[in-house]
Amino acid sequence: MKRLLIVICLLVVANVMMAKEYELSSPNGRISLKVNVDENCTYSVFLGDQQIIMASPIALELDNGEVWGKDARVRKAKVTSHSQELTPVVQRKYAKIQDDYNQLTLSFKGYSLEFRAYDEGAAYRWVSALKGEYKVKSEQASFVFPADHTTWFPEEESMFSHQEREYLKVNLSAIGSDRFCSTGMLVDCGNGVKTYISESDLMDYPGMFLKGDDQNQNALVGKFAGVVLEEKQLNDRNVKPTKYADYIAQCNGPRSFPWRALLITENDEALVQSELIYKLAPELKIQNTEWIKPGKVAWDWWNANNIYGVDFESGVNNDTYKYYIDFASKNKLEYVILDEGWYHLENIMDVVDEIDIQELVDYGKERNVGVILWVVWKALDDQLEKALDQFEAWGVKGIKIDFMQRDDQWMVNFYEKIARECAERELLVDYHGAYKPAGLERAYPNVITYEGVKGMENAKWSSLPDPEHNVTLPFTRMVAGAMDYTPGAMINTTKKNFREVFTQPMSSGTRCHQLAMYVVFESPLQMLCDNPSNYYREPECMKFLSVVPSVWDDTKVLQGKVGDYVAIARRSGDTWYIGAMTDWDARDLSLDLDFLGDGNYSMSVWKDGVNADKHAADFAQENQDVNSASKINIKMAPGGGWAAIIEKK
């Protein structure tokens, strides 16, 4: 009996000695983490004295039964500090990004855990030191909140998804394990504090969804697609997984896994200004980047090639696309897109008789306009090298690749394969039918934009997007990175008058709501979605659309509230641009121009007209002198907007 008691005491002592708590703070101390290693590994996150994330268990289970983070013994703990200035190849919010963080690395047998504390948030990831082949059976990623918070929940019905969702206001307790959403998603922690959850460095691994937890109604847990074992091609564009493995990733040798990222802000404006996802992304993987050129694009599909006032039949033909190229050239747009219809869908190498790609590329080159080709991912993959070599030979500038609608491990690797193969041929990539940005664009900056957003195309068949959705996106989807929303509608309606018209679509909200999107919405490849014939009828609006950049040197979020309104100032060179948007409520905002430098400036304004509440296309223009001491008052109609260009005198 005495021996048994001694053994029990020794086991208790051993367990106590094994249990460890580690702490990590951000450079300015704003964010702190506590990591506990015991029977389970948990982490907690604090904003000052406020606990944002309660002790949340994390683990990684391998197919051999080993569970990282369970009954683990830390071999070494190390804290390091990092500070560097990043220069994105393709600018986003800023020409330079300051990257400062402290890192805690916990080393175990065969793997390690890395935690980072930034002044704007926190992140963690698993790192494997294993050699040879192994499988990840599951990952436990959890985010336990201290109360039943409200979320903006981009609910999904299936993991076979374009991830073009509406952000539903849902309490954590109403989610449960049967409901799930794509990431990133936003949680309202009360008192103005918001927490945004997403991921970065998503490479060779499935993307993370989030579902509720039946064991804890205040928790969110990760959900991952298994490795696809079987799939069924339903038509030219939909290849649906029909059988998944009971593991989520196949691995070979040492590697890191994706970062689980938490952006924590005390005001909504800071969500828009963050570059946390980019900072966590993998470093540049290509050498020559000088050829990568952002810009604006004349787009054909949304307006159904429905040009008018011409002496030829409009449609998918060279005359129509020369008209688009001429329009782009006159308005200094860098690109045009040939969307669906230029090739026979069953064979990407079989161009329709009405199109001569080489002639269009040459015609565009003479006018400083590049050609981008839309492709279905499966048709491209079936003849990948042959097709990309042909695109390069034609002199095409990039591809818009569509309908992937998956983020299992194979498809995530396909994204990187396309980025790599296109970079070798100096081709840009625009991912449609896609998941959100998760770091690939830093490694391969020819990946210039993503869809993964319920954008303007939906107006052809849906009442969304509407102004409330539009002023939710900067604080949700756009936090992850560039989004190809495709703005620019010239037929604008009030909420009451909106109709779904597939071949002559319209937008809900005002004309200036659309113009402001070019400042508010980030996309280095920014579309002009409407009909060039309509744009020719709107020379006052083209004065703005012709000059507004698609990348920025600096960004200042002047005011904002998720789902209600946003006002952003962005600088390109010495010129500032302001875009403001509201939901279906008319709104007045007072904006300080204290971000301007010394001296006097001239401000050109596009604002909702006095009758924009009845006729949404009504707008007015004005000019005024301003300086850094100026305070301007702007008035927006329901669903309205406001845009300005500020140039130094």
Side-chain angles (χ1 to χ4, degrees), residues 158-163 202 205-207 209 225-233 237-244 377-378 402-415 432-436:
S158 166
M159 286 192 285
F160 184 61
S161 169
H162 293 277
Q163 298 192 15
L202 176 58
Y205 199 79
F209 295 81
V227 168
V228 174
L229 299 178
E230 296 178 7
E231 58 190 23
K232 183 177 182 180
Q233 184 161 355
R237 59 200 58 193
N238 294 315
V239 182
K240 186 174 183 178
T242 57
K243 184 178 180 181
Y244 292 98
W377 78 268
K378 185 64 169 65
D402 208 346
F403 288 98
M404 290 77 67
Q405 55 196 318
R406 290 163 41 189
D407 65 356
D408 52 83
Q409 184 185 29
W410 186 94
M411 187 57 78
V412 169
N413 286 336
F414 176 77
Y415 274 55
H432 267 239
Y435 57 80
K436 80 285 177 183

Side-chain angles (χ1 to χ4, degrees), residues 245-262:
D246 63 354
Y247 52 91
I248 64 174
Q250 297 173 292
C251 305
N252 190 1
R255 59 159 297 172
S256 60
F257 293 92
W259 288 103
R260 309 293 165 223
L262 293 158

